[in-house]
Amino acid sequence: MGEEGEAGPGPSSQAAAAEEKTSAPVERPPPEELDPDDLLNAFFSDLKEVDRDNEVNRILWAFKLNPYEKLNLRFDATPEEIKKQFRKLSLMVHPDKCKHPQASTAFDILGEAQKELLDDEKRENLLKFLELAKDEVRKERKKETKHDNIVRVASLLHEEGRDGLEAEWEKSDEFHERWKMKSRDVLARSEWRKRKLGKRLKEETLRIEEKEKDAKEMHKAKKEHEKNWEKTRETRVTGWHDYLKGGGNKKSTGMLKPPKLKTNDDDKLYVQRPMGAEEFRPKVKSAGPKKD
């Protein structure tokens, strides 16, 4: 019996040892030692090349007037979400990791989109147009569901009524998709008006510049004419003095001779006389009836 006891542990002792071994804690690194960037890099290192190419194509074909669409974000994204999304997409399409020929262009587009959304003034200006698009979607929704019995019943059953029902609908993907499409229309119309106004301003600027140019040329020509006229003053005065000294009989170059006063005219029955000689004119009797 003693030898059997010294032979080794029995089945019960082996089971206890196995249980003790399995219940021993496994050493793992604490959560705070895990770097999120390392985890993200590890994830994208295993990403398929086709997925990277598809993302590049999506960025290149995204609506160019809305940076939210370029980053594939909802319009109510916070600045922290914008930075996080840029970090994620930039790792996917980085030229060093993506073989797509336009990966560099897509990477630059993402950078410009993030820069625009993180600029408070530009983001606020964009959100104004997005709010206009949201209001149009709400009006269309109200018009569509005006006589919808299902919506009416659902609003009656909702704790906050129709407002609460619409608030929940605005959190859905359906609403955001309609908002996105409507925002494209609003932004496109705004850009068209902006370009049209810019074209008109450019045309008006060119017209004013042409007008100012013509005015300058006319002023220059007038100055040139006055300058030339002043240069020939001495010649004109000398010629006029010579003409007066000669009694007006000598011919002078460039001077006009006054017309001679005619004393008679063969084609007319009267004789031209100088003004103020009415007393020398013959009196003509009237051919009318005689007065008593």
Side-chain angles (χ1 to χ4, degrees), residues 263-275:
T263 56
N264 55 15
D265 194 339
D266 298 336
D267 297 332
K268 297 182 180 179
L269 299 178
Y270 61 88
V271 177
Q272 294 184 355
R273 294 179 177 84
M275 297 295 293

Side-chain angles (χ1 to χ4, degrees), residues 178-200:
R178 292 184 61 173
W179 187 13
K180 180 172 69 174
M181 300 307 295
K182 182 61 66 175
S183 66
R184 292 180 181 180
D185 181 51
V186 172
L187 290 172
R189 281 182 285 162
S190 174
E191 183 66 18
W192 180 80
R193 288 193 296 266
K194 180 180 177 181
R195 293 184 180 183
K196 186 177 180 181
L197 179 61
K199 183 179 179 181
R200 291 181 60 184

Side-chain angles (χ1 to χ4, degrees), residues 30 48 87 147 159-160 179 217 229 233 249 257 269:
K48 295 181 180 179
R87 174 67 175 167
H147 302 290
E159 295 179 358
E160 300 179 5
W179 187 13
E217 290 180 355
W229 181 263
R233 173 186 290 274
N249 295 325
K257 295 177 65 177
L269 299 178

Side-chain angles (χ1 to χ4, degrees), residues 148-166:
D148 194 329
N149 292 328
I150 297 177
V151 175
R152 186 180 304 172
V153 172
S155 61
L156 292 174
L157 297 176
H158 199 279
E159 295 179 358
E160 300 179 5
R162 181 63 185 266
D163 294 339
L165 184 66
E166 293 302 317

